[in-house]
Structures are given as structure tokens and as C-alpha cells.
Amino acid sequence: MNARTLRLLAIENVLRREAIRSQDDLQKALKDKGFEVTQATLSRDVRQLKIVKSHDDEGRYVYMLPDAVMLPDTRQSAALHDRPTVEFSGELAVIKTRPGYAMGIASDIDEHSPREILGTIAGDDTILVIPREGFTRMQVGDALERFLI
């Protein structure tokens, strides 16, 4: 995956997990996840993802993805049914999938063994991806892309 795709996935993950009330809050959340982004780039990303401001359960405005606005009660499950999501912690990647899919995807990753990936550990809907030393997040993301589309 290229840097832009990883950043867009990170934005989706942040919006599904946190109450983001402004682009400044979103920019800070992305920085905490290792993504340095300008306000102009973030504005373009917000437009591309069709992010809207909507009322949360407490009546305050928050940024939401279009599927979250249409299906507020199933926001997390709808996200997982669309496609796997990837989030990094340090150099480790965590992939969230639909329930029951993680072991199959992890098996494919291990079987086809990209040089960037040392191995995986899978549960029901979560995969821990352990990269080999010397590879960047971008390189690991690019290696994982073919398994997650």
C-alpha cells in the first residue's frame, strides 16, 4: 500500500474508534499514529472519504464516515464487513477482519511469505503481522496490500 492509502485507512480507523470534533483533532490523532500531514492534505482526504460532521449520541458534532451516519448502531461491524483494516504500533501491524476470516488471511500471508513479513499470529478477527527487521511501515503495507483487497 502506498503512503496515501495507509493514511486514508488510518483516518477511517481513527474515526471509527474516537470522537473527533475538528480537523485539528484528527491531525493530532494521525500524528500519534505516525502520520505527519498538512492541513491542506487532510482537507483533501476528508473530501475524498466523504467525511461529514454529524451529531453524536450526546448531541455534539463529530466527524463521521458516510457508512457511520447511515448505520449509527452498527458502525464498527459495518466497517469490518467492508474490508480489513490495518493499524501499526511501532513496526508491528494489526489487521482487523470480519469474524472468522483472520486465520485464512494469515495463512495466505504466511504461505506466500513476502520478504518483508517474518510471520503472523491470527485469532478469529485479528492478525498480528511481524515484519522482518529493516523494512518500513510503507514497505510492509505494500507487501500486505495484495492480501487485503
Side-chain angles (χ1 to χ4, degrees):
M1 278 183 229
N2 63 34
R4 185 167 184 259
T5 301
L6 286 173
R7 186 179 67 248
L8 292 174
L9 287 171
I11 291 170
E12 289 177 353
N13 288 334
V14 166
L15 292 180
R16 286 188 171 98
R17 290 179 174 82
E18 300 176 34
I20 300 294
R21 302 195 191 298
S22 68
Q23 281 193 15
D24 190 47
D25 290 345
L26 182 55
Q27 190 174 26
K28 288 174 186 169
L30 289 172
K31 185 175 183 179
D32 291 344
K33 296 193 180 310
F35 294 92
E36 293 284 338
V37 63
T38 66
Q39 192 68 38
T41 298
L42 188 56
S43 291
R44 284 190 295 274
D45 291 346
V46 165
R47 273 192 308 277
Q48 179 180 350
L49 291 171
K50 296 180 173 50
I51 294 169
V52 297
K53 272 196 156 182
S54 185
H55 287 92
D56 65 8
D57 295 336
E58 298 170 5
R60 295 180 293 184
Y61 280 106
V62 293
Y63 279 94
M64 292 184 163
L65 295 164
D67 65 337
V69 174
M70 294 184 289
L71 305 167
D73 296 332
T74 58
R75 194 177 321 170
Q76 183 64 23
S77 63
L80 294 178
H81 288 288
D82 290 338
R83 66 175 181 231
T85 59
V86 180
E87 189 169 340
F88 283 86
S89 177
E91 295 306 314
L92 300 176
V94 175
I95 301 172
K96 293 286 194 172
T97 70
R98 293 170 50 178
Y101 281 67
M103 285 191 224
I105 294 171
S107 177
D108 285 346
I109 293 169
D110 289 337
E111 184 178 327
H112 298 289
S113 208
R115 64 185 173 92
E116 297 87 351
I117 308 298
L118 181 62
T120 63
I121 300 171
D124 183 53
D125 63 356
T126 305
I127 304 166
L128 175 64
V129 179
I130 303 157
R132 291 189 192 279
E133 279 192 47
F135 290 97
T136 66
R137 287 180 178 185
M138 179 143 355
Q139 291 169 316
V140 172
D142 287 342
L144 291 173
E145 184 172 22
R146 67 180 167 158
F147 300 103
L148 303 178
I149 297 177

